[in-house]
Amino acid sequence: MQVNFNSNKVYFSPYLRAYKCWKNIKKTLDDNNVPYGLLPGTKDVWVRDFMPIEMADNSFVSYLYRPDYLKNDKGYITSDVDGCYDFTDSTVRKTPIAIDGGNVIRCGDKIIMTDKIFKENGCTSPKMLPKMLEEAFQAELILIPWDTGEKFGHADGMVRYVGHDHILLNDYKDVDEAFRQQLLSLLLPHFKTIDELCYGKSYRSYSWAHLNFLQVGNHIFVPLVDKHSDDLAIEQIQNVYGEDYDVKGIETTGIVRKGGALNCVSWNIHEDKTPIYESLYDRQAHEVYNWLLKQSEYIGSVADLYKKVILGDDMVVATDEYSEHCIVMLYERLFDLINKGHEIKIVDDSEKGRWGIFYNLDFHFKVK
């Protein structure tokens, strides 16, 4: 089997760090040398749903993001994706169709979506909408019924692409046999091989989330949610994808309780460049780290360090959202350097950084 290396980096929203599972995600990616970053300007953790869909290297499709389930919480809708990622030198085709990215499963020259797309675009002709979608994605559209047990109407909890003419279906054998047969009748004409997950007596209410895994290159990270089906999920997914893939689990119960899993909170792409804002944060973190190495000790916040080392003492640190984000990103990278370098220690080992405005809390840095 040919390994699908179409993505080599994954991005998340900074808000994901408020969940306990972020520590597990971060450690697993670090341990497996998977590059990752945080997207500025996001308003929610579900980045899959609003970030453009990559159809080929540096070629994306953006769309109208107006989910009905957020009609009363519009403050969580991220509409300016250009403020989240530097799309310079990329081709971005824009479509006026209302779409959730979690409802688009790219399968080579095909895409799979649930028919909730019709509800989201009620003013568009049902006959015209499929043609518009195929034109936007330059791919054959395969529509499957909306599993109404899941209010978001996303396909990424129902089916995933394995490889050429090969897909993996979630465990409907243990949930709804009639619905399973309906799905198979629609998918079999388009795919030669359809594998299915099956947990039998080990199926639990959150077992659906295993299929909502994160795939970056030949790494597959499966959400772990319940000991009954966790091991079965990893074993079956490993068998389906084969020895060329490395399948591991990550505990993600917190986000699963919110209705999503690893694919929902991630945006994995093929990236042959480092965005300007990210390389800037890395450089600034090294500047601050090297400055701290020249001190015997220093007591202050990361915001203070940003002012002293990066801006200069005579500058005023702005309090707008952009500047705050810069300090947060600096904090994240600085503490990564401290944890990896072992040259600086934090004398105060309290739980700073977990609650409140952590980058404005004083830390006691001391050179070992």
Side-chain angles (χ1 to χ4, degrees):
M1 179 186 297
Q2 183 179 1
V3 181
N4 183 6
F5 285 110
N6 65 335
S7 68
N8 59 11
K9 188 167 184 178
V10 58
Y11 285 94
F12 305 92
S13 166
Y15 289 113
L16 188 61
R17 294 174 304 179
Y19 289 80
K20 291 182 180 180
C21 62
W22 170 246
K23 183 178 180 181
N24 304 328
I25 294 170
K26 189 171 181 295
K27 183 179 186 305
T28 303
L29 295 176
D30 283 333
D31 290 347
N32 290 275
N33 298 311
V34 175
Y36 60 91
L38 300 175
L39 297 168
T42 59
K43 296 182 179 180
D44 206 346
V45 297
W46 314 110
V47 297
R48 178 71 57 182
D49 289 337
F50 53 80
M51 291 303 291
I53 298 163
E54 187 176 35
M55 298 303 294
D57 290 356
N58 294 319
S59 178
F60 299 86
V61 175
S62 69
Y63 44 87
L64 177 61
Y65 180 59
R66 58 172 189 195
D68 54 2
Y69 49 85
L70 289 180
K71 64 182 178 181
N72 296 322
D73 294 295
K74 293 183 179 178
Y76 291 103
I77 295 178
T78 303
S79 54
D80 179 20
V81 295
D82 289 330
C84 301
Y85 184 81
D86 178 13
F87 288 100
T88 306
D89 300 326
S90 299
T91 300
V92 182
R93 298 196 304 274
K94 296 184 178 181
T95 175
I97 305 172
I99 297 173
D100 283 10
N103 192 26
V104 180
I105 304 300
R106 188 183 61 156
C107 306
D109 58 356
K110 306 178 183 73
I111 56 169
I112 299 174
M113 302 180 71
T114 75
D115 56 16
K116 188 180 183 240
I117 191 72
F118 291 110
K119 179 183 178 182
E120 294 165 339
N121 294 274
C123 295
T124 305
S125 165
K127 292 183 179 180
M128 287 297 300
L129 185 58
K131 295 178 181 178
M132 292 170 64
L133 287 164
E134 291 187 333
E135 182 178 347
F137 289 102
Q138 297 292 293
E140 176 190 359
L141 173 66
I142 303 168
L143 285 170
I144 57 175
W146 172 15
D147 179 359
T148 54
E150 185 269 311
K151 67 176 182 179
F152 307 112
H154 293 173
D156 62 354
M158 301 175 66
V159 60
R160 298 298 296 270
Y161 182 56
V162 179
H164 182 64
D165 285 334
H166 187 181
I167 57 174
L168 175 61
L169 195 64
N170 215 338
D171 182 6
Y172 286 101
K173 292 180 181 179
D174 299 310
V175 180
D176 189 335
E177 178 62 26
F179 188 74
R180 170 182 174 255
Q181 290 298 331
Q182 187 180 3
L183 287 174
L184 288 173
S185 68
L186 292 168
L187 293 168
L188 279 169
H190 302 279
F191 299 97
K192 293 179 180 178
T193 305
I194 300 180
D195 283 303
E196 299 178 72
L197 295 177
C198 184
Y199 306 118
K201 294 181 180 179
S202 295
Y203 185 89
R204 296 295 185 274
S205 59
Y206 289 149
S207 296
W208 63 265
H210 297 310
L211 188 72
N212 196 271
F213 52 73
L214 165 61
Q215 181 180 350
V216 186
N218 66 335
H219 295 281
I220 294 177
F221 302 107
V222 178
L224 302 183
V225 293
D226 187 290
K227 63 182 180 180
H228 294 87
S229 58
D230 286 346
D231 291 341
L232 277 172
I234 291 176
E235 178 184 357
Q236 291 178 67
I237 293 171
Q238 182 70 76
N239 288 338
V240 168
Y241 278 81
E243 60 183 13
D244 290 330
Y245 288 83
D246 182 27
V247 181
K248 289 185 171 67
I250 303 179
E251 195 282 320
T252 55
T253 306
I255 56 174
V256 170
R257 287 173 179 165
K258 296 287 185 179
L262 284 174
N263 190 66
C264 298
V265 298
S266 61
W267 184 60
N268 54 308
I269 61 173
H270 182 273
E271 186 175 88
D272 57 7
K273 61 186 178 68
T274 300
I276 295 172
Y277 61 78
E278 182 168 359
S279 60
L280 174 66
Y281 296 148
D282 290 335
R283 178 177 61 77
Q284 289 179 345
H286 278 90
E287 278 188 55
V288 172
Y289 184 82
N290 291 330
W291 185 89
L292 287 171
L293 286 177
K294 296 176 183 178
Q295 321 302 312
S296 58
E297 61 182 329
Y298 177 80
I299 298 176
S301 68
V302 174
D304 292 336
L305 286 167
Y306 180 75
K307 178 181 177 182
K308 179 180 289 291
V309 181
I310 305 302
L311 297 182
D313 278 328
D314 58 336
M315 297 289 288
V316 176
V317 178
T319 57
D320 59 31
E321 185 177 344
Y322 176 78
S323 297
E324 183 178 288
H325 176 77
C326 290
I327 301 171
V328 172
M329 298 293 278
L330 176 67
Y331 170 93
E332 186 82 13
R333 284 160 170 76
L334 175 62
F335 278 80
D336 279 346
L337 290 174
I338 290 172
N339 290 332
K340 292 176 182 178
H342 305 295
E343 298 171 292
I344 298 171
K345 67 177 180 179
I346 309 298
V347 177
D348 180 4
D349 60 356
S350 66
E351 293 295 305
K352 287 177 178 176
R354 292 202 175 186
W355 311 107
I357 308 175
F358 47 85
Y359 49 83
N360 280 332
L361 297 177
D362 281 350
F363 290 89
H364 187 174
F365 300 93
K366 191 169 185 179
V367 177
K368 295 181 181 179

